Amino acid sequence: MSAEAEEVAHDTVEAAVRAQLAKALGGVRGIIEAAIPTIAFTLSWITTEDLKLSLIISVSLAVLLLLARIVQRSTPQFVINSLIGIAIGAFFASRTGDAKDYFLPGILWNAGYMVAMLVSIVSRWPVVGFLIGSVTGDPTAWRRDPGIVRLCMRLTWLLMLPCAVRVAVQGPVYLFGGGDEAVAALGLAKIAMGWPLQVAAFGAMLWVLGRGRTPLKPPVAPA
């Protein structure tokens, strides 16, 4: 759908952002596909303590999920995103020989996202505003309306919250934990704080969006 068609379909900021969030979720299948390789790695490590085998199982499952998407001719975006993260984690763990390092890239990724979104809020260029720009075709026009800017800042806080929680919980476990207990705790935390936490954040965003009807086109400044 073109930007013009989307603008017609969504006449309010709330409707446009709701549509973009729905695309980002990937549905139940996307949630399951993101969790399976991590569950497999964690269970394999706990039962065998064989890092190489656990990495092979995790990466192989991610590849199989990707092949299934390709065969079914459905969008592989979410599986590819998951596979890239798993491959980076596998590289870290195989280089150091410590199963705990499988989870380090995810922690760093969330920390980076958290900082980027915080900077966007402080600078009053909230990340969510660019979701509106992707619909209207003008990436910065939304900034002319202070009401839209405030709404996008609130939504970006909610979008940032899962990243902050993951770093706050998983970071100390990675830094100070050791042995099988740390790997198991990181695996469980990654699963519990992955899509479930993201879905909760999106739910909160949808609740905020459901309370208002902000016109999608900001007012034109007088000449």
Side-chain angles (χ1 to χ4, degrees):
M1 184 182 291
S2 66
E4 291 81 4
E6 287 199 46
E7 188 172 349
V8 171
H10 310 303
D11 60 348
T12 67
V13 171
E14 288 79 10
V17 177
R18 279 199 299 269
Q20 297 297 81
L21 292 178
K23 291 179 184 179
L25 272 175
V28 174
R29 181 173 177 177
I31 294 170
I32 294 173
E33 287 171 339
I36 285 176
T38 298
I39 294 171
F41 174 84
T42 304
L43 291 177
S44 176
W45 170 257
I46 291 172
T47 55
T48 68
E49 295 190 11
D50 187 327
L51 177 59
K52 185 176 180 180
L53 175 63
S54 301
L55 293 174
I56 290 173
I57 291 173
S58 178
V59 174
S60 298
L61 281 173
V63 171
L64 286 174
L65 292 169
L66 175 60
L67 291 175
R69 284 279 191 173
I70 293 173
V71 169
Q72 295 172 354
R73 296 183 179 180
S74 59
T75 177
Q77 172 190 345
F78 303 101
V79 181
I80 291 174
N81 292 344
S82 176
L83 180 58
I84 291 173
I86 290 163
I88 295 173
F91 174 77
F92 272 59
S94 62
R95 292 285 292 179
T96 64
D98 189 342
K100 192 171 64 172
D101 287 331
Y102 178 83
F103 302 97
L104 178 58
I107 297 172
L108 295 177
W109 182 267
N110 277 281
Y113 257 84
M114 180 183 70
V115 171
M117 283 188 278
L118 183 59
V119 169
S120 80
I121 293 168
V122 172
S123 64
R124 298 186 65 81
W125 284 86
V127 167
V128 173
F130 294 98
L131 294 179
I132 299 168
S134 70
V135 173
T136 63
D138 187 334
T140 61
W142 54 273
R143 291 203 79 246
R144 295 201 294 267
D145 188 327
I148 294 180
V149 174
R150 288 193 296 270
L151 172 64
C152 291
M153 289 176 69
R154 290 196 297 271
L155 294 173
T156 303
W157 276 114
L158 290 172
L159 190 62
M160 185 186 79
L161 188 59
C163 297
V165 172
R166 290 175 193 134
V167 173
V169 173
Q170 296 175 31
V173 176
Y174 174 82
L175 291 173
F176 306 114
D180 295 347
E181 294 80 6
V183 175
L186 286 168
L188 291 172
K190 185 177 177 66
I191 295 163
M193 296 181 178
W195 274 111
L197 194 58
Q198 200 68 47
V199 169
F202 284 167
M205 294 172 74
L206 292 175
W207 180 80
V208 171
L209 291 167
R211 301 177 65 194
R213 288 187 58 81
T214 309
L216 185 60
K217 289 185 177 180
V220 178

